Amino acid sequence: MEVTKRSYSSSANLGPGYDILSMGHRAFFDSVTVKQNGDGKVKIISDSTPEYPEKNTAGLSVMKILEDREIKCGIEMEIKKGVPIGLGLGSSGASSSAAVKAVNELLKLDMGKDEMVYYSMYGEIAACGSAHPDNVSSGIYGGLTLISSNSPVKVRKISVNYDFKLLLIIPEANIKSKTQYARSIVPKSITMDEHIVNSSRISTMLYGFMKGDRDAIREGMKDDIVERSREAMFPFYNSIREKAMNRNAVSACISGAGPTILIFTDEKTRKDEMLNDIKNTMNSYNTGYAIRETEILEGYDE
């Protein structure tokens, strides 16, 4: 018997929601097929991710499940990557969450969603040295997710009641150890005034999604802490965000640790003008890019 599961791309943070918010979307997906083998080990088959399970996000997650549950069988998994690696689109989390879902079904473990998020996030250690649940929560729950607790892991799925499309601006940028570096330059402390502003923005943005309030989404999806600390990594971002807002995009933010930029659009957005502005901006920075239009992925394991 073998089981195949998919997990899709995602965009974490969404402006002020560093490490606690993520949105799953249909732009790309990873597929993981698992089956039992007789050698008692985890074996990886992949042409684009590490084949040593300790260095593979999916492999590390599955090893942790087998260890905690004292399961002696071996697992062979084939990973087919569709989510681009290193672009802020939740690539590592897509692999690990798809593997956890597949093993959960294969071995009939009956894990709840938060438990699957826990094991999926464990795999992130292989990718960036730390376990963080934001992207993998989208892989398990779908939609817009809020991490309400890291220990124990608790996730709340936020109802989205506004009709929008997502535009991914994906620069041709290769930054060595990008996620680790992007996390290392985040401020270790902030002022109380900054905390108050950020709390207000997160609350306003979530209110906007839940109530279908466009102005609240626009007002709330701003960040002067994490995004500002990473400005030097993505010098084109502020210009693109400003131009997108001037063309009446709903909002825009850096997707995860970047460099991809996520733009929310609707029928009020002057999209053709905005795309021309983006082209001019990226040309001015001599940076190639791709564009992918997509939408939020609401369901689990679609």
Side-chain angles (χ1 to χ4, degrees), residues 187-224:
K188 300 298 186 291
S189 61
I190 60 173
T191 67
M192 181 56 69
D193 285 345
E194 287 172 322
H195 164 70
I196 292 169
V197 169
N198 226 46
S199 297
S200 175
R201 286 175 174 173
I202 293 172
S203 302
T204 301
M205 180 175 63
L206 292 180
Y207 172 90
F209 281 122
M210 295 171 70
K211 295 294 185 179
D213 187 327
R214 185 184 201 269
D215 291 339
I217 298 171
R218 279 174 69 88
E219 181 182 343
M221 196 181 293
K222 298 177 184 177
D223 180 62
D224 295 323

